[in-house]
Amino acid sequence: MKRLIIIFNLFLISFNIFAQSEGEKLFMNNKPAQAAVIFEKEIESGTNDPNTYNYLGLCYYQLQDYEKSVIAFEKGLSAPRTNKKILAFNAGNSCYAMKDYRKAVEYYGLAYKLDQYYSQALLNEANSHLMLSEFDKALEDYQHFLILEPKDRQEPKIRLMIALLEKELVRIENERIAAEAEAARIAEEERLYKEELKRQEEERLAAERERLRLEAERLAEEERLARERRAEEERIAQEKRAEEERLERERLAEIERLAEEKRKADAERRRKLLEEVANSLQNTESTNMSSGAEDIIDYDQESELD
């Protein structure tokens, strides 16, 4: 941060080495809070010169109020006759301090676009790309910086960074190739797995269709046998009913025959009884008949003349 402040101060000195305003005096005496109040009033009243925006942004930067410093630099970028290159560069530094590296890249890029020899903007842009893990862009910026500043005092460190980035990019590329190969392997395994699942599913469906076909045939055969069984049972039942009816007729005929025989026997008994009664009546007037007990008719016996 001290190195950046020194750079800012050098920029300021280059803008106006004989700073005369009260705000500039306070800033030079390291009183950024008091200077910022004066710069804000100058901008508000419209009495400021083009460098006021840069001074105000630097005051807030020293106060670590980076958001306000960016606002001041952005206002300067929109104002006429301001040093847009320096304002963009300082806005990039404020964004970098806030760790908003994406925004810092934009401002450093703008500063470099305004001055293709502005090596410091290129270096800071490289650092921002590095913080964003955009190693290829950082490498390109570092290499370009050394083209612009081959004898820079940081040249050894930058070359070391370039070597590390090249090594890292090789590693990343190898990892990418390995990852692609692994992804291809996994994709092939998934394809084969899906094909195997499809084959198994087709076999399962075929087996299921065959099972259903056999089941349908079995059910049809069972239904046929059931119909035959029912028909046979019906035939047997009919024969049984016919036999039962025949037997019933024979039983009834036998009963009728027996009843008829009984009626005949009963009639014969009544006839004999009548004859016996008649004979007994006739015998009672005989005087010459034996009086043996065997000739006595017992009228106490139940009459069968009913």
Side-chain angles (χ1 to χ4, degrees), residues 72-186:
F73 294 134
E74 287 178 340
K75 286 181 179 178
L77 287 170
S78 301
R81 297 182 296 108
T82 57
N83 191 328
K84 304 289 192 296
K85 177 183 74 172
I86 300 303
L87 288 167
F89 178 81
N90 289 341
N93 286 340
S94 296
C95 291
Y96 192 95
M98 288 190 296
K99 297 183 179 181
D100 187 353
Y101 305 115
R102 180 60 60 198
K103 201 70 175 176
V105 166
E106 293 179 11
Y107 283 121
Y108 290 137
L110 174 60
Y112 181 70
K113 182 179 180 181
L114 293 170
D115 182 356
Q116 296 294 307
Y117 295 97
Y118 196 3
S119 60
Q120 191 61 44
L122 190 62
L123 180 61
N124 284 10
E125 183 183 71
N127 295 333
S128 300
H129 281 308
L130 185 67
M131 299 304 292
L132 291 169
S133 297
E134 296 174 347
F135 301 134
D136 53 340
K137 294 180 180 180
L139 177 62
E140 183 180 349
D141 284 347
Y142 285 132
Q143 290 172 334
H144 195 182
F145 175 82
L146 289 182
I147 293 174
L148 295 175
E149 304 290 347
K151 296 182 179 181
D152 187 85
R153 62 184 181 82
Q154 298 188 88
E155 183 264 345
K157 290 183 179 180
I158 293 173
R159 291 200 180 279
L160 176 61
M161 178 62 72
I162 289 174
L164 292 174
L165 285 174
E166 288 175 341
K167 184 177 181 180
E168 181 65 13
L169 288 172
V170 169
R171 184 191 66 80
I172 291 173
E173 179 63 13
N174 290 336
E175 285 185 354
R176 184 190 66 79
I177 294 172
E180 288 181 354
E182 179 65 11
R185 184 189 65 79
I186 292 173

